[in-house]
Amino acid sequence: MELMDLSRLLAENSYPGRGIVIGKTPDGKKAAVAYFIMGRSQNSRNRVFEETPDGIRTRAFDPSKMEDPSLIIYHPVRRLGGWTVVTNGDQTDTVRDALAAGGSFEDALRTRTFEPDGPNWTPRISGLVALGEGDFSVKLSILKSADGNGEYAQRYFFDYPRLPAGEGRFLHTYRGDGSPIPSFEGEPERVAVAAPSAEAWARELWGSLNEDNKVSLYVEYLSLEDGDREAVILNKNA
């Protein structure tokens, strides 16, 4: 699989929807995690990321304009011990609770399906970073409809015991804009992670996302040596 330029992928796609990137920094010393959200409706765009004790959550930027919180207010990132869970919906809590009870990422997500927003049937995408001895493993998943048929669910899981330095995997909800919006297809994309810091990577990714549709971005670099965390949040509704 070709190693792709993530900034170019984002710049060439006006609407990848929501996206998860998990990779390893160029020096091989940190795990790199990014999550972004985009929106076309006022309800979707009326959001910001804010930090919580164990990760981040979305909230309404202007509560008076919130129409339906059911699919847009959730915790995209939650941490539990050496695990970092990142998803595009409330399945973050499903995975975290399963791990806390001794269960698995896969079994937790087998209890869930795509979002009930036909005719788009937006996929649920999820990722897990599991710290190990001086390294980390990555799991990714996408739960989607069967070629736009909302009666059938398809669940895909991807397991990466290790990643090379300077590489990541990118999973997003949509292939691009449309009506209905076409779901992502295939394996997570293999992308380069070249930025030396979370701040630099965040600015690079933020500048590549479509100006009209981007809403919020979260980036963190996690040291494999001492667990030190560098985190950046960027919100269009600042």
Side-chain angles (χ1 to χ4, degrees):
M1 184 185 296
E2 177 187 358
L3 183 65
M4 292 179 282
D5 183 326
L6 178 56
S7 295
R8 182 176 177 181
L9 284 177
L10 294 175
E12 293 177 346
N13 187 345
S14 65
Y15 202 63
R18 286 164 277 173
I20 296 170
V21 190
I22 302 176
K24 186 179 287 186
T25 56
D27 61 8
K29 296 181 178 180
K30 297 177 182 178
V33 177
Y35 177 68
F36 65 81
I37 60 175
M38 307 183 81
R40 301 190 302 177
S41 68
Q42 175 180 278
N43 199 43
S44 292
R45 292 177 176 180
N46 181 36
R47 290 184 288 174
V48 293
F49 286 167
E50 66 178 16
E51 196 169 5
T52 66
D54 69 342
I56 62 170
R57 70 175 183 179
T58 63
R59 69 167 176 83
F61 176 67
D62 183 347
S64 69
K65 295 180 179 179
M66 176 60 65
E67 299 168 9
D68 178 6
S70 61
L71 293 175
I72 65 174
I73 301 300
Y74 56 93
H75 290 78
V77 177
R78 283 200 142 156
R79 295 183 287 271
L80 179 69
W83 291 303
T84 298
V85 183
V86 53
T87 90
N88 71 327
D90 62 11
Q91 72 268 26
T92 310
D93 295 348
T94 304
V95 173
R96 182 204 58 174
D97 293 349
L99 295 173
S104 70
F105 176 78
E106 294 84 357
D107 285 346
L109 290 171
R110 288 189 180 103
T111 69
R112 303 301 303 268
T113 185
F114 46 83
E115 294 183 354
D117 63 341
N120 295 319
W121 308 119
T122 300
R124 290 190 187 272
I125 56 172
S126 307
L128 177 68
V129 176
L131 295 181
E133 194 67 38
D135 209 335
F136 64 98
S137 62
V138 176
K139 292 185 178 184
L140 289 166
S141 169
I142 182 167
L143 315 179
K144 54 183 292 186
S145 68
D147 299 316
N149 187 330
E151 295 186 23
Y152 302 96
Q154 299 179 137
R155 298 181 177 91
Y156 299 92
F157 299 94
F158 306 92
D159 194 346
Y160 307 93
R162 295 179 64 192
L163 287 175
E167 278 196 24
R169 297 296 183 271
F170 177 34
L171 185 60
H172 45 104
T173 53
Y174 306 129
R175 297 198 306 274
D177 211 340
S179 183
I181 316 174
S183 294
F184 180 89
E185 292 182 348
E187 294 182 32
E189 293 160 329
R190 179 177 172 237
V191 295
V193 179
S197 68
E199 179 71 29
W201 201 34
R203 295 296 173 183
E204 175 188 329
L205 299 183
W206 188 248
S208 301
L209 290 167
N210 180 270
E211 184 63 31
D212 292 333
N213 295 324
K214 66 184 179 183
V215 176
S216 296
L217 169 70
Y218 174 78
V219 165
E220 72 171 39
Y221 275 22
L222 176 63
S223 171
L224 301 177
E225 181 179 354
D226 57 17
D228 184 54
R229 190 182 309 276
E230 178 191 0
V232 178
I233 291 176
L234 297 174
N235 291 308
K236 189 169 185 180
N237 294 315

